[in-house]
Amino acid sequence: MTAYLDNAATTKVSESALKAAVTAMTENYGNPSSLHRMGLNAELAVTKARKDIALAMGADPERIFFTSGATEANNTILNGIAATYGRRKSTIVASSIEHPAVEEVLRELEKKGYKVKRIPPRSDGRINFAEFASAVDNDTFLATCMLVNNETGAVNPVDDIFAAVKNKNPDCITHTDAVQGFLKLPLKVSALSCDLMTVSGHKVHAPKGIGAMYVGRNIRLAPCFYGGGQEKGMRSGTEAVPLISAFGEAAAEQQRNIETAYKNALMLNSTLRKSLAPLDYITFNTDEKVSSPYIVNFSVKGIRSEIMLHFLESRNVYVSSGSACSKGKKSRVLSQMNMPDELADTALRVSFSKMSSWGEIEMLVSAIKEGYMTLQKTGR
Ligand code: PLP
């Protein structure tokens, strides 16, 4: 048996999403722009998927645009908003714990002369709404704050943050990277006061290479790509119908079972915490009260993350050291939380999906115990 507990990095494609992709490749393979029936059928599949994604965001389907993933959506949004709203104003306020798909774009914008004010998290891993809003002034054209941190699972109070931002400066555009909260926590763009939202397919049992952005009705966004004018000119290029259909199917399926999956994640999370809590070499890096039940981050005393990760791998248990994207680099997120090096260097991220099971937790706990004993003896 395999314990795949790295679902914040990516998930297994669900049966129904796979089927939808295969149908779009082998039967419904027309180009949505073609004027004949085959084209229309492909367009209908895209329209259906758009509705399913919109429903999961509590948004109007007309305002959902498909992209190649959350990285492209974040790039389009940040660069596009800077191009339209950043002409007369120059400041962006952001959390200091954004995913590289936001942080690296902000660094590029800084090189172009924009000012970025970064708000660090409190020691619990969350951004404080009052601290965030206090950085917003009349020169701020964009505020961006992720919903769930991909390394720690900490859930930011994005509703309070953006309400406070709008209160201070009603013209400030708000964006949330909701990748790790989408189809896991209840989500509604209006409840979050957000003008823009980013989501990704492969974190929710759709294939890699598909994502979407919500762009509020009154928001003017300069596109990244120009061409055939697909996606209302917001993202030119022939629509990836197989990926879009699979994404829509995965979203519809997950939306139907969101509460059951949430309860399952809560149960797995608390089982894992209860099993590890008695071990004096384990430290939890986030409190379960402030984090998504889908992610647990903890440190194993004295054993570097990569060493333990590979030991667990040898026992068929797959977890992550920090985020999958940071590939062994020191975690920016944990250092922003002022975590001591001995905890940051030994941190592991365990992440669940609706497919995760109790047996996988058992495998993980016994492999951690064995790994700690073995690696301690061998001097790592
Ligand atoms: N934002 C967050 C919070 C993520 O966790 C990820 C994926 O790791 C991304 C953005 C990038 O998404 P994609 O792989 O769809 O480009």
Side-chain angles (χ1 to χ4, degrees), residues 8-10 67-74 97-102 146-151 177-181 198-203 208-211 323-325 349:
T10 200
T67 62
S68 68
T71 299
E72 184 193 318
N74 283 335
I97 50 168
E98 294 297 311
H99 186 276
V102 167
M146 73 197 322
L147 183 60
V148 176
N149 185 268
N150 50 297
E151 288 187 41
D177 174 338
V179 167
Q180 299 289 350
T198 314
V199 297
S200 175
H202 71 102
K203 314 287 182 177
K208 295 155 188 65
I210 185 71
S323 78
C325 299
R349 177 187 70 179

PDB file of all heavy atoms in Angstrom, residues 8-10 67-74 97-102 146-151 177-181 198-203 208-211 323-325 349, ligand 1:
ATOM      1  N   ALA A   8      -1.314  18.694  -1.210  1.00  0.00           N
ATOM      2  CA  ALA A   8      -1.212  20.141  -1.459  1.00  0.00           C
ATOM      3  C   ALA A   8      -0.266  20.388  -2.632  1.00  0.00           C
ATOM      4  O   ALA A   8      -0.285  21.462  -3.245  1.00  0.00           O
ATOM      5  CB  ALA A   8      -0.727  20.869  -0.208  1.00  0.00           C
ATOM      6  N   ALA A   9       0.565  19.394  -2.949  1.00  0.00           N
ATOM      7  CA  ALA A   9       1.447  19.517  -4.130  1.00  0.00           C
ATOM      8  C   ALA A   9       0.656  19.189  -5.384  1.00  0.00           C
ATOM      9  O   ALA A   9       0.669  19.940  -6.366  1.00  0.00           O
ATOM     10  CB  ALA A   9       2.643  18.575  -3.997  1.00  0.00           C
ATOM     11  N   THR A  10      -0.044  18.065  -5.338  1.00  0.00           N
ATOM     12  CA  THR A  10      -0.930  17.699  -6.444  1.00  0.00           C
ATOM     13  C   THR A  10      -1.779  16.513  -6.020  1.00  0.00           C
ATOM     14  O   THR A  10      -1.430  15.816  -5.056  1.00  0.00           O
ATOM     15  CB  THR A  10      -0.140  17.390  -7.737  1.00  0.00           C
ATOM     16  OG1 THR A  10      -1.032  17.495  -8.865  1.00  0.00           O
ATOM     17  CG2 THR A  10       0.483  16.004  -7.728  1.00  0.00           C
ATOM     18  N   THR A  67      -7.357  29.351 -17.599  1.00  0.00           N
ATOM     19  CA  THR A  67      -5.935  29.592 -17.868  1.00  0.00           C
ATOM     20  C   THR A  67      -5.213  28.235 -17.794  1.00  0.00           C
ATOM     21  O   THR A  67      -5.845  27.222 -17.519  1.00  0.00           O
ATOM     22  CB  THR A  67      -5.321  30.519 -16.793  1.00  0.00           C
ATOM     23  OG1 THR A  67      -5.417  29.844 -15.528  1.00  0.00           O
ATOM     24  CG2 THR A  67      -6.037  31.854 -16.710  1.00  0.00           C
ATOM     25  N   SER A  68      -3.891  28.256 -17.963  1.00  0.00           N
ATOM     26  CA  SER A  68      -3.154  26.995 -17.898  1.00  0.00           C
ATOM     27  C   SER A  68      -2.860  26.559 -16.463  1.00  0.00           C
ATOM     28  O   SER A  68      -2.216  25.541 -16.242  1.00  0.00           O
ATOM     29  CB  SER A  68      -1.824  27.135 -18.642  1.00  0.00           C
ATOM     30  OG  SER A  68      -0.999  28.035 -17.931  1.00  0.00           O
ATOM     31  N   GLY A  69      -3.295  27.339 -15.489  1.00  0.00           N
ATOM     32  CA  GLY A  69      -3.054  26.982 -14.097  1.00  0.00           C
ATOM     33  C   GLY A  69      -3.086  28.244 -13.251  1.00  0.00           C
ATOM     34  O   GLY A  69      -3.320  29.351 -13.775  1.00  0.00           O
ATOM     35  N   ALA A  70      -2.840  28.064 -11.955  1.00  0.00           N
ATOM     36  CA  ALA A  70      -2.891  29.223 -11.068  1.00  0.00           C
ATOM     37  C   ALA A  70      -1.699  30.149 -11.291  1.00  0.00           C
ATOM     38  O   ALA A  70      -1.791  31.360 -11.087  1.00  0.00           O
ATOM     39  CB  ALA A  70      -2.939  28.763  -9.625  1.00  0.00           C
ATOM     40  N   THR A  71      -0.569  29.599 -11.718  1.00  0.00           N
ATOM     41  CA  THR A  71       0.594  30.458 -11.954  1.00  0.00           C
ATOM     42  C   THR A  71       0.272  31.459 -13.058  1.00  0.00           C
ATOM     43  O   THR A  71       0.517  32.675 -12.911  1.00  0.00           O
ATOM     44  CB  THR A  71       1.821  29.607 -12.340  1.00  0.00           C
ATOM     45  OG1 THR A  71       2.103  28.719 -11.248  1.00  0.00           O
ATOM     46  CG2 THR A  71       3.042  30.467 -12.629  1.00  0.00           C
ATOM     47  N   GLU A  72      -0.298  30.966 -14.155  1.00  0.00           N
ATOM     48  CA  GLU A  72      -0.659  31.897 -15.238  1.00  0.00           C
ATOM     49  C   GLU A  72      -1.736  32.884 -14.782  1.00  0.00           C
ATOM     50  O   GLU A  72      -1.675  34.076 -15.105  1.00  0.00           O
ATOM     51  CB  GLU A  72      -1.156  31.118 -16.467  1.00  0.00           C
ATOM     52  CG  GLU A  72      -1.450  32.059 -17.627  1.00  0.00           C
ATOM     53  CD  GLU A  72      -2.228  31.395 -18.762  1.00  0.00           C
ATOM     54  OE1 GLU A  72      -1.929  30.247 -19.117  1.00  0.00           O
ATOM     55  OE2 GLU A  72      -3.135  32.058 -19.282  1.00  0.00           O
ATOM     56  N   ALA A  73      -2.716  32.388 -14.017  1.00  0.00           N
ATOM     57  CA  ALA A  73      -3.786  33.276 -13.551  1.00  0.00           C
ATOM     58  C   ALA A  73      -3.213  34.386 -12.661  1.00  0.00           C
ATOM     59  O   ALA A  73      -3.552  35.565 -12.828  1.00  0.00           O
ATOM     60  CB  ALA A  73      -4.834  32.461 -12.799  1.00  0.00           C
ATOM     61  N   ASN A  74      -2.312  34.020 -11.739  1.00  0.00           N
ATOM     62  CA  ASN A  74      -1.720  35.039 -10.862  1.00  0.00           C
ATOM     63  C   ASN A  74      -0.891  36.046 -11.664  1.00  0.00           C
ATOM     64  O   ASN A  74      -0.950  37.252 -11.418  1.00  0.00           O
ATOM     65  CB  ASN A  74      -0.834  34.377  -9.791  1.00  0.00           C
ATOM     66  CG  ASN A  74      -1.651  33.744  -8.668  1.00  0.00           C
ATOM     67  OD1 ASN A  74      -2.780  34.144  -8.403  1.00  0.00           O
ATOM     68  ND2 ASN A  74      -1.088  32.744  -8.016  1.00  0.00           N
ATOM     69  N   ILE A  97       3.815  35.974   2.727  1.00  0.00           N
ATOM     70  CA  ILE A  97       3.879  34.508   2.672  1.00  0.00           C
ATOM     71  C   ILE A  97       3.186  33.977   1.430  1.00  0.00           C
ATOM     72  O   ILE A  97       2.685  32.845   1.423  1.00  0.00           O
ATOM     73  CB  ILE A  97       3.256  33.870   3.944  1.00  0.00           C
ATOM     74  CG1 ILE A  97       1.878  34.479   4.219  1.00  0.00           C
ATOM     75  CG2 ILE A  97       4.184  34.038   5.137  1.00  0.00           C
ATOM     76  CD1 ILE A  97       1.065  33.729   5.258  1.00  0.00           C
ATOM     77  N   GLU A  98       3.115  34.804   0.385  1.00  0.00           N
ATOM     78  CA  GLU A  98       2.463  34.358  -0.843  1.00  0.00           C
ATOM     79  C   GLU A  98       3.262  33.242  -1.510  1.00  0.00           C
ATOM     80  O   GLU A  98       4.498  33.155  -1.365  1.00  0.00           O
ATOM     81  CB  GLU A  98       2.311  35.540  -1.812  1.00  0.00           C
ATOM     82  CG  GLU A  98       1.366  36.621  -1.328  1.00  0.00           C
ATOM     83  CD  GLU A  98      -0.075  36.146  -1.160  1.00  0.00           C
ATOM     84  OE1 GLU A  98      -0.602  35.512  -2.079  1.00  0.00           O
ATOM     85  OE2 GLU A  98      -0.659  36.401  -0.084  1.00  0.00           O
ATOM     86  N   HIS A  99       2.576  32.430  -2.299  1.00  0.00           N
ATOM     87  CA  HIS A  99       3.220  31.406  -3.140  1.00  0.00           C
ATOM     88  C   HIS A  99       4.124  32.119  -4.153  1.00  0.00           C
ATOM     89  O   HIS A  99       3.849  33.261  -4.551  1.00  0.00           O
ATOM     90  CB  HIS A  99       2.110  30.630  -3.849  1.00  0.00           C
ATOM     91  CG  HIS A  99       2.580  29.461  -4.641  1.00  0.00           C
ATOM     92  ND1 HIS A  99       3.042  29.581  -5.936  1.00  0.00           N
ATOM     93  CD2 HIS A  99       2.674  28.145  -4.320  1.00  0.00           C
ATOM     94  CE1 HIS A  99       3.383  28.386  -6.372  1.00  0.00           C
ATOM     95  NE2 HIS A  99       3.179  27.496  -5.406  1.00  0.00           N
ATOM     96  N   PRO A 100       5.205  31.457  -4.616  1.00  0.00           N
ATOM     97  CA  PRO A 100       6.084  32.105  -5.613  1.00  0.00           C
ATOM     98  C   PRO A 100       5.332  32.607  -6.859  1.00  0.00           C
ATOM     99  O   PRO A 100       5.785  33.560  -7.500  1.00  0.00           O
ATOM    100  CB  PRO A 100       7.071  30.994  -5.997  1.00  0.00           C
ATOM    101  CG  PRO A 100       7.078  30.073  -4.825  1.00  0.00           C
ATOM    102  CD  PRO A 100       5.734  30.150  -4.183  1.00  0.00           C
ATOM    103  N   ALA A 101       4.190  31.978  -7.180  1.00  0.00           N
ATOM    104  CA  ALA A 101       3.420  32.412  -8.359  1.00  0.00           C
ATOM    105  C   ALA A 101       2.859  33.825  -8.175  1.00  0.00           C
ATOM    106  O   ALA A 101       2.441  34.464  -9.140  1.00  0.00           O
ATOM    107  CB  ALA A 101       2.282  31.433  -8.648  1.00  0.00           C
ATOM    108  N   VAL A 102       2.864  34.325  -6.940  1.00  0.00           N
ATOM    109  CA  VAL A 102       2.520  35.728  -6.672  1.00  0.00           C
ATOM    110  C   VAL A 102       3.803  36.494  -6.323  1.00  0.00           C
ATOM    111  O   VAL A 102       4.106  37.532  -6.910  1.00  0.00           O
ATOM    112  CB  VAL A 102       1.489  35.839  -5.515  1.00  0.00           C
ATOM    113  CG1 VAL A 102       1.371  37.264  -5.008  1.00  0.00           C
ATOM    114  CG2 VAL A 102       0.132  35.331  -5.995  1.00  0.00           C
ATOM    115  N   MET A 146      -3.309  35.559   0.110  1.00  0.00           N
ATOM    116  CA  MET A 146      -3.774  34.190  -0.154  1.00  0.00           C
ATOM    117  C   MET A 146      -4.772  33.740   0.903  1.00  0.00           C
ATOM    118  O   MET A 146      -4.735  34.219   2.040  1.00  0.00           O
ATOM    119  CB  MET A 146      -2.584  33.227  -0.235  1.00  0.00           C
ATOM    120  CG  MET A 146      -1.956  32.929   1.094  1.00  0.00           C
ATOM    121  SD  MET A 146      -0.282  32.212   1.041  1.00  0.00           S
ATOM    122  CE  MET A 146      -0.306  31.122  -0.323  1.00  0.00           C
ATOM    123  N   LEU A 147      -5.628  32.788   0.527  1.00  0.00           N
ATOM    124  CA  LEU A 147      -6.645  32.313   1.469  1.00  0.00           C
ATOM    125  C   LEU A 147      -6.047  31.311   2.461  1.00  0.00           C
ATOM    126  O   LEU A 147      -6.119  31.488   3.666  1.00  0.00           O
ATOM    127  CB  LEU A 147      -7.801  31.684   0.685  1.00  0.00           C
ATOM    128  CG  LEU A 147      -8.983  31.201   1.499  1.00  0.00           C
ATOM    129  CD1 LEU A 147      -9.622  32.334   2.287  1.00  0.00           C
ATOM    130  CD2 LEU A 147     -10.032  30.559   0.591  1.00  0.00           C
ATOM    131  N   VAL A 148      -5.441  30.241   1.927  1.00  0.00           N
ATOM    132  CA  VAL A 148      -4.844  29.203   2.787  1.00  0.00           C
ATOM    133  C   VAL A 148      -3.372  29.080   2.402  1.00  0.00           C
ATOM    134  O   VAL A 148      -3.060  28.909   1.217  1.00  0.00           O
ATOM    135  CB  VAL A 148      -5.528  27.835   2.569  1.00  0.00           C
ATOM    136  CG1 VAL A 148      -4.845  26.744   3.380  1.00  0.00           C
ATOM    137  CG2 VAL A 148      -7.007  27.912   2.929  1.00  0.00           C
ATOM    138  N   ASN A 149      -2.501  29.187   3.377  1.00  0.00           N
ATOM    139  CA  ASN A 149      -1.085  29.059   3.040  1.00  0.00           C
ATOM    140  C   ASN A 149      -0.748  27.612   2.669  1.00  0.00           C
ATOM    141  O   ASN A 149      -1.130  26.672   3.371  1.00  0.00           O
ATOM    142  CB  ASN A 149      -0.195  29.527   4.190  1.00  0.00           C
ATOM    143  CG  ASN A 149       1.253  29.491   3.782  1.00  0.00           C
ATOM    144  OD1 ASN A 149       1.945  28.490   3.985  1.00  0.00           O
ATOM    145  ND2 ASN A 149       1.711  30.545   3.133  1.00  0.00           N
ATOM    146  N   ASN A 150      -0.022  27.453   1.569  1.00  0.00           N
ATOM    147  CA  ASN A 150       0.246  26.116   1.033  1.00  0.00           C
ATOM    148  C   ASN A 150       1.249  25.323   1.864  1.00  0.00           C
ATOM    149  O   ASN A 150       1.316  24.106   1.743  1.00  0.00           O
ATOM    150  CB  ASN A 150       0.731  26.211  -0.424  1.00  0.00           C
ATOM    151  CG  ASN A 150       1.853  27.205  -0.593  1.00  0.00           C
ATOM    152  OD1 ASN A 150       1.666  28.405  -0.363  1.00  0.00           O
ATOM    153  ND2 ASN A 150       3.022  26.737  -0.985  1.00  0.00           N
ATOM    154  N   GLU A 151       2.030  25.975   2.718  1.00  0.00           N
ATOM    155  CA  GLU A 151       3.001  25.226   3.533  1.00  0.00           C
ATOM    156  C   GLU A 151       2.460  24.899   4.919  1.00  0.00           C
ATOM    157  O   GLU A 151       2.660  23.795   5.419  1.00  0.00           O
ATOM    158  CB  GLU A 151       4.294  26.028   3.690  1.00  0.00           C
ATOM    159  CG  GLU A 151       5.095  26.077   2.422  1.00  0.00           C
ATOM    160  CD  GLU A 151       6.454  26.723   2.621  1.00  0.00           C
ATOM    161  OE1 GLU A 151       7.116  26.469   3.643  1.00  0.00           O
ATOM    162  OE2 GLU A 151       6.842  27.505   1.733  1.00  0.00           O
ATOM    163  N   ASP A 177      -5.329  34.465  -3.886  1.00  0.00           N
ATOM    164  CA  ASP A 177      -4.909  33.186  -4.452  1.00  0.00           C
ATOM    165  C   ASP A 177      -5.579  32.144  -3.557  1.00  0.00           C
ATOM    166  O   ASP A 177      -5.168  31.928  -2.417  1.00  0.00           O
ATOM    167  CB  ASP A 177      -3.378  33.107  -4.381  1.00  0.00           C
ATOM    168  CG  ASP A 177      -2.847  31.752  -4.822  1.00  0.00           C
ATOM    169  OD1 ASP A 177      -3.608  30.766  -4.789  1.00  0.00           O
ATOM    170  OD2 ASP A 177      -1.654  31.676  -5.161  1.00  0.00           O
ATOM    171  N   ALA A 178      -6.649  31.527  -4.094  1.00  0.00           N
ATOM    172  CA  ALA A 178      -7.468  30.633  -3.263  1.00  0.00           C
ATOM    173  C   ALA A 178      -7.186  29.162  -3.561  1.00  0.00           C
ATOM    174  O   ALA A 178      -7.988  28.288  -3.220  1.00  0.00           O
ATOM    175  CB  ALA A 178      -8.945  30.949  -3.486  1.00  0.00           C
ATOM    176  N   VAL A 179      -6.036  28.885  -4.183  1.00  0.00           N
ATOM    177  CA  VAL A 179      -5.726  27.528  -4.654  1.00  0.00           C
ATOM    178  C   VAL A 179      -5.925  26.462  -3.571  1.00  0.00           C
ATOM    179  O   VAL A 179      -6.522  25.424  -3.827  1.00  0.00           O
ATOM    180  CB  VAL A 179      -4.277  27.479  -5.213  1.00  0.00           C
ATOM    181  CG1 VAL A 179      -3.804  26.051  -5.402  1.00  0.00           C
ATOM    182  CG2 VAL A 179      -4.200  28.231  -6.531  1.00  0.00           C
ATOM    183  N   GLN A 180      -5.424  26.723  -2.358  1.00  0.00           N
ATOM    184  CA  GLN A 180      -5.476  25.668  -1.332  1.00  0.00           C
ATOM    185  C   GLN A 180      -6.775  25.665  -0.534  1.00  0.00           C
ATOM    186  O   GLN A 180      -6.964  24.808   0.335  1.00  0.00           O
ATOM    187  CB  GLN A 180      -4.268  25.773  -0.381  1.00  0.00           C
ATOM    188  CG  GLN A 180      -2.917  25.617  -1.067  1.00  0.00           C
ATOM    189  CD  GLN A 180      -2.630  24.179  -1.530  1.00  0.00           C
ATOM    190  OE1 GLN A 180      -3.346  23.233  -1.187  1.00  0.00           O
ATOM    191  NE2 GLN A 180      -1.583  24.006  -2.325  1.00  0.00           N
ATOM    192  N   GLY A 181      -7.674  26.614  -0.846  1.00  0.00           N
ATOM    193  CA  GLY A 181      -8.962  26.628  -0.149  1.00  0.00           C
ATOM    194  C   GLY A 181     -10.099  26.189  -1.054  1.00  0.00           C
ATOM    195  O   GLY A 181     -11.142  25.738  -0.576  1.00  0.00           O
ATOM    196  N   THR A 198      -7.962  33.351  -7.816  1.00  0.00           N
ATOM    197  CA  THR A 198      -7.217  32.387  -8.609  1.00  0.00           C
ATOM    198  C   THR A 198      -7.413  30.979  -8.065  1.00  0.00           C
ATOM    199  O   THR A 198      -7.314  30.775  -6.844  1.00  0.00           O
ATOM    200  CB  THR A 198      -5.711  32.704  -8.471  1.00  0.00           C
ATOM    201  OG1 THR A 198      -5.521  34.095  -8.631  1.00  0.00           O
ATOM    202  CG2 THR A 198      -4.901  31.978  -9.479  1.00  0.00           C
ATOM    203  N   VAL A 199      -7.673  30.007  -8.960  1.00  0.00           N
ATOM    204  CA  VAL A 199      -7.766  28.605  -8.526  1.00  0.00           C
ATOM    205  C   VAL A 199      -7.032  27.694  -9.518  1.00  0.00           C
ATOM    206  O   VAL A 199      -6.718  28.121 -10.630  1.00  0.00           O
ATOM    207  CB  VAL A 199      -9.246  28.144  -8.369  1.00  0.00           C
ATOM    208  CG1 VAL A 199      -9.963  28.941  -7.291  1.00  0.00           C
ATOM    209  CG2 VAL A 199     -10.008  28.230  -9.687  1.00  0.00           C
ATOM    210  N   SER A 200      -6.777  26.462  -9.081  1.00  0.00           N
ATOM    211  CA  SER A 200      -6.017  25.531  -9.916  1.00  0.00           C
ATOM    212  C   SER A 200      -6.711  24.166  -9.945  1.00  0.00           C
ATOM    213  O   SER A 200      -7.295  23.745  -8.950  1.00  0.00           O
ATOM    214  CB  SER A 200      -4.611  25.377  -9.312  1.00  0.00           C
ATOM    215  OG  SER A 200      -3.890  24.392 -10.017  1.00  0.00           O
ATOM    216  N   GLY A 201      -6.622  23.464 -11.074  1.00  0.00           N
ATOM    217  CA  GLY A 201      -7.310  22.184 -11.226  1.00  0.00           C
ATOM    218  C   GLY A 201      -6.620  21.016 -10.548  1.00  0.00           C
ATOM    219  O   GLY A 201      -7.278  20.161  -9.945  1.00  0.00           O
ATOM    220  N   HIS A 202      -5.266  20.979 -10.630  1.00  0.00           N
ATOM    221  CA  HIS A 202      -4.609  19.734 -10.194  1.00  0.00           C
ATOM    222  C   HIS A 202      -4.559  19.560  -8.680  1.00  0.00           C
ATOM    223  O   HIS A 202      -4.129  18.513  -8.193  1.00  0.00           O
ATOM    224  CB  HIS A 202      -3.216  19.595 -10.832  1.00  0.00           C
ATOM    225  CG  HIS A 202      -2.173  20.519 -10.328  1.00  0.00           C
ATOM    226  ND1 HIS A 202      -1.209  20.124  -9.442  1.00  0.00           N
ATOM    227  CD2 HIS A 202      -1.903  21.820 -10.602  1.00  0.00           C
ATOM    228  CE1 HIS A 202      -0.386  21.149  -9.197  1.00  0.00           C
ATOM    229  NE2 HIS A 202      -0.795  22.187  -9.891  1.00  0.00           N
ATOM    230  N   LYS A 203      -5.019  20.564  -7.920  1.00  0.00           N
ATOM    231  CA  LYS A 203      -5.105  20.393  -6.463  1.00  0.00           C
ATOM    232  C   LYS A 203      -6.443  19.779  -6.070  1.00  0.00           C
ATOM    233  O   LYS A 203      -6.674  19.479  -4.909  1.00  0.00           O
ATOM    234  CB  LYS A 203      -4.954  21.746  -5.756  1.00  0.00           C
ATOM    235  CG  LYS A 203      -3.816  22.617  -6.248  1.00  0.00           C
ATOM    236  CD  LYS A 203      -2.461  22.132  -5.832  1.00  0.00           C
ATOM    237  CE  LYS A 203      -1.381  23.095  -6.318  1.00  0.00           C
ATOM    238  NZ  LYS A 203      -0.054  22.727  -5.894  1.00  0.00           N
ATOM    239  N   LYS A 208      -3.107  18.298 -14.359  1.00  0.00           N
ATOM    240  CA  LYS A 208      -2.224  19.466 -14.295  1.00  0.00           C
ATOM    241  C   LYS A 208      -2.373  20.292 -15.578  1.00  0.00           C
ATOM    242  O   LYS A 208      -2.665  19.734 -16.629  1.00  0.00           O
ATOM    243  CB  LYS A 208      -0.786  19.014 -14.119  1.00  0.00           C
ATOM    244  CG  LYS A 208      -0.584  18.318 -12.783  1.00  0.00           C
ATOM    245  CD  LYS A 208       0.581  17.354 -12.816  1.00  0.00           C
ATOM    246  CE  LYS A 208       0.657  16.530 -11.547  1.00  0.00           C
ATOM    247  NZ  LYS A 208      -0.497  15.607 -11.351  1.00  0.00           N
ATOM    248  N   GLY A 209      -2.155  21.588 -15.460  1.00  0.00           N
ATOM    249  CA  GLY A 209      -2.177  22.428 -16.664  1.00  0.00           C
ATOM    250  C   GLY A 209      -3.494  23.134 -16.908  1.00  0.00           C
ATOM    251  O   GLY A 209      -3.744  23.616 -18.006  1.00  0.00           O
ATOM    252  N   ILE A 210      -4.355  23.179 -15.864  1.00  0.00           N
ATOM    253  CA  ILE A 210      -5.613  23.919 -16.019  1.00  0.00           C
ATOM    254  C   ILE A 210      -5.915  24.685 -14.722  1.00  0.00           C
ATOM    255  O   ILE A 210      -5.707  24.175 -13.633  1.00  0.00           O
ATOM    256  CB  ILE A 210      -6.795  22.981 -16.430  1.00  0.00           C
ATOM    257  CG1 ILE A 210      -8.064  23.776 -16.703  1.00  0.00           C
ATOM    258  CG2 ILE A 210      -7.053  21.880 -15.406  1.00  0.00           C
ATOM    259  CD1 ILE A 210      -8.032  24.606 -17.955  1.00  0.00           C
ATOM    260  N   GLY A 211      -6.357  25.905 -14.886  1.00  0.00           N
ATOM    261  CA  GLY A 211      -6.726  26.737 -13.740  1.00  0.00           C
ATOM    262  C   GLY A 211      -7.758  27.740 -14.202  1.00  0.00           C
ATOM    263  O   GLY A 211      -8.193  27.710 -15.360  1.00  0.00           O
ATOM    264  N   SER A 323       6.984  23.461   0.821  1.00  0.00           N
ATOM    265  CA  SER A 323       6.105  23.340  -0.336  1.00  0.00           C
ATOM    266  C   SER A 323       6.838  22.582  -1.430  1.00  0.00           C
ATOM    267  O   SER A 323       8.059  22.579  -1.481  1.00  0.00           O
ATOM    268  CB  SER A 323       5.702  24.705  -0.857  1.00  0.00           C
ATOM    269  OG  SER A 323       6.745  25.256  -1.596  1.00  0.00           O
ATOM    270  N   ALA A 324       6.070  21.944  -2.334  1.00  0.00           N
ATOM    271  CA  ALA A 324       6.687  21.186  -3.423  1.00  0.00           C
ATOM    272  C   ALA A 324       7.527  22.102  -4.301  1.00  0.00           C
ATOM    273  O   ALA A 324       8.540  21.700  -4.858  1.00  0.00           O
ATOM    274  CB  ALA A 324       5.605  20.528  -4.262  1.00  0.00           C
ATOM    275  N   CYS A 325       7.123  23.367  -4.398  1.00  0.00           N
ATOM    276  CA  CYS A 325       7.818  24.294  -5.294  1.00  0.00           C
ATOM    277  C   CYS A 325       9.161  24.734  -4.735  1.00  0.00           C
ATOM    278  O   CYS A 325      10.043  25.132  -5.476  1.00  0.00           O
ATOM    279  CB  CYS A 325       6.976  25.528  -5.537  1.00  0.00           C
ATOM    280  SG  CYS A 325       5.441  25.126  -6.315  1.00  0.00           S
ATOM    281  N   ARG A 349       5.482  18.708   5.675  1.00  0.00           N
ATOM    282  CA  ARG A 349       4.085  19.043   5.394  1.00  0.00           C
ATOM    283  C   ARG A 349       3.343  17.781   4.969  1.00  0.00           C
ATOM    284  O   ARG A 349       3.764  17.100   4.028  1.00  0.00           O
ATOM    285  CB  ARG A 349       4.003  20.077   4.274  1.00  0.00           C
ATOM    286  CG  ARG A 349       2.554  20.393   3.900  1.00  0.00           C
ATOM    287  CD  ARG A 349       2.450  21.272   2.681  1.00  0.00           C
ATOM    288  NE  ARG A 349       2.827  20.589   1.459  1.00  0.00           N
ATOM    289  CZ  ARG A 349       2.814  21.132   0.249  1.00  0.00           C
ATOM    290  NH1 ARG A 349       2.474  22.401   0.130  1.00  0.00           N
ATOM    291  NH2 ARG A 349       3.162  20.449  -0.816  1.00  0.00           N
TER     292      ARG A 349
HETATM  293  N1  PLP B   1      -0.770  29.196  -5.506  1.00  0.00           N
HETATM  294  C1  PLP B   1      -0.742  28.298  -4.507  1.00  0.00           C
HETATM  295  C2  PLP B   1      -1.170  28.707  -3.130  1.00  0.00           C
HETATM  296  C3  PLP B   1      -0.294  26.995  -4.756  1.00  0.00           C
HETATM  297  O1  PLP B   1      -0.250  26.102  -3.741  1.00  0.00           O
HETATM  298  C4  PLP B   1       0.104  26.640  -6.067  1.00  0.00           C
HETATM  299  C5  PLP B   1       0.632  25.281  -6.351  1.00  0.00           C
HETATM  300  O2  PLP B   1       1.523  24.783  -5.708  1.00  0.00           O
HETATM  301  C6  PLP B   1       0.037  27.613  -7.071  1.00  0.00           C
HETATM  302  C7  PLP B   1      -0.404  28.875  -6.758  1.00  0.00           C
HETATM  303  C8  PLP B   1       0.464  27.296  -8.489  1.00  0.00           C
HETATM  304  O3  PLP B   1      -0.551  26.583  -9.140  1.00  0.00           O
HETATM  305  P1  PLP B   1      -0.301  25.877 -10.572  1.00  0.00           P
HETATM  306  O4  PLP B   1       0.513  24.666 -10.312  1.00  0.00           O
HETATM  307  O5  PLP B   1      -1.695  25.575 -11.061  1.00  0.00           O
HETATM  308  O6  PLP B   1       0.371  26.877 -11.444  1.00  0.00           O
END
